[in-house]
Amino acid sequence: MNIRSLLSAAALCWAALPAHADGLKALEAFLREASSARADFTQVVTSPARANEATPRQRTSNGRFVFQRPDRFRFDYLKPFEQTIVADGRQLWLHDVDLNQVTVRAQKDALGSTPAAIIASAPDLAALRSSFDLRAAPDADGLQWAEATPKQRDGQLRKVRLGFAGTQLSVLDIEDGLGQRSVLRFSQWQNNPAFKGGEFRFEPPAGADVIRQ
């Protein structure tokens, strides 16, 4: 094979390799351009099958999500069960509507190396790299993917995959240390919306059982 044929073959092989660079570029652009956002989401949680089960267990929920960097976010789960999670910059609140129970703890102790820290806290890749090992992953399902692995392996979080359509976050795929997988798919995404105020404030409902951790 002559040198021209070798170069042509090398070029074809290079073109056939999956793209790895764009996922990190998309994550970097998302962190830079979306200082706040609002979206709807559908979440599917898959748990490993038990010893007497043939297939893994799944449960699906949906709701709304908003965030404002550097330290505020809110998840409102609407179906099948109502639940609210609010980070107000100082404390993290979790309200189970059916139980009328509220759990609250210091926000700085609750986030750490979590998916919420990736979406709503970090201003850039350099900040993320203090807590996560980052890498680009091959494009798939029409999206560009980035992967974040916590540097502290405490068993709670194994890795997070983020899928982007341009600079819009479309999918958040989370695996924990127990083998549970949680996939959030976002729709109706709006970057930098105008908030009316109060999105990140939470007051326990009257009569709620408040547990402080």
Side-chain angles (χ1 to χ4, degrees), residues 162-203:
L162 303 98
F164 295 93
T167 60
Q168 176 183 310
L169 180 62
S170 294
V171 180
L172 191 65
D173 187 342
I174 306 161
E175 294 183 31
D176 69 18
L178 299 177
Q180 180 172 272
R181 183 181 180 193
S182 179
V183 179
L184 290 91
R185 300 185 183 275
F186 298 100
S187 61
Q188 307 299 320
W189 187 280
Q190 294 178 307
N191 273 0
N192 308 314
F195 292 130
K196 297 179 181 178
E199 280 87 352
F200 308 105
R201 289 198 297 268
F202 182 83
E203 292 290 338

Side-chain angles (χ1 to χ4, degrees), residues 5 27 36 56 68 86 94 97 101 113 116 126 128 130 144 192 194 199 207:
S5 298
L27 173 57
S36 62
Q68 187 171 46
V86 180
L94 190 155
V97 175
Q101 183 180 84
S113 299
L128 270 184
S130 65
Q144 297 168 331
N192 308 314
E199 280 87 352

Side-chain angles (χ1 to χ4, degrees), residues 20-178:
H20 288 274
D22 287 347
L24 280 183
K25 289 181 179 178
L27 173 57
E28 184 176 32
F30 168 73
L31 296 175
R32 181 178 64 247
E33 297 177 12
S35 60
S36 62
R38 173 187 290 122
D40 297 336
F41 69 86
T42 297
Q43 179 177 7
V44 178
V45 177
T46 304
S47 301
R50 294 171 179 166
N52 60 343
E53 295 175 334
T55 59
R57 293 161 288 148
Q58 285 192 338
R59 62 182 186 274
T60 301
S61 54
N62 58 58
R64 295 188 295 261
F65 167 63
V66 295
F67 77 83
Q68 187 171 46
R69 292 197 180 96
D71 55 11
R72 288 169 171 79
F73 64 86
R74 180 183 186 115
F75 283 91
D76 287 301
Y77 287 83
L78 304 176
K79 294 179 180 180
F81 306 107
E82 290 188 56
Q83 188 180 72
T84 299
I85 304 171
V86 180
D88 63 12
R90 296 185 306 107
Q91 299 182 109
L92 184 69
W93 304 83
L94 190 155
H95 178 212
D96 188 310
V97 175
D98 286 348
L99 297 177
N100 199 22
Q101 183 180 84
V102 176
T103 303
V104 58
R105 61 185 301 189
Q107 186 171 319
K108 63 181 179 63
D109 299 330
L111 297 187
S113 299
T114 68
I118 298 175
I119 300 175
S121 297
D124 51 38
L125 289 185
L128 270 184
R129 285 192 169 105
S130 65
S131 299
F132 294 91
D133 291 320
L134 302 176
R135 74 176 188 92
D139 294 357
D141 303 322
L143 302 176
Q144 297 168 331
W145 292 86
E147 186 173 291
T149 304
K151 290 184 175 180
Q152 292 186 353
R153 305 298 177 88
D154 59 5
Q156 296 183 8
L157 180 66
R158 181 170 175 262
K159 69 178 179 180
V160 180
R161 298 178 70 244
L162 303 98
F164 295 93
T167 60
Q168 176 183 310
L169 180 62
S170 294
V171 180
L172 191 65
D173 187 342
I174 306 161
E175 294 183 31
D176 69 18
L178 299 177

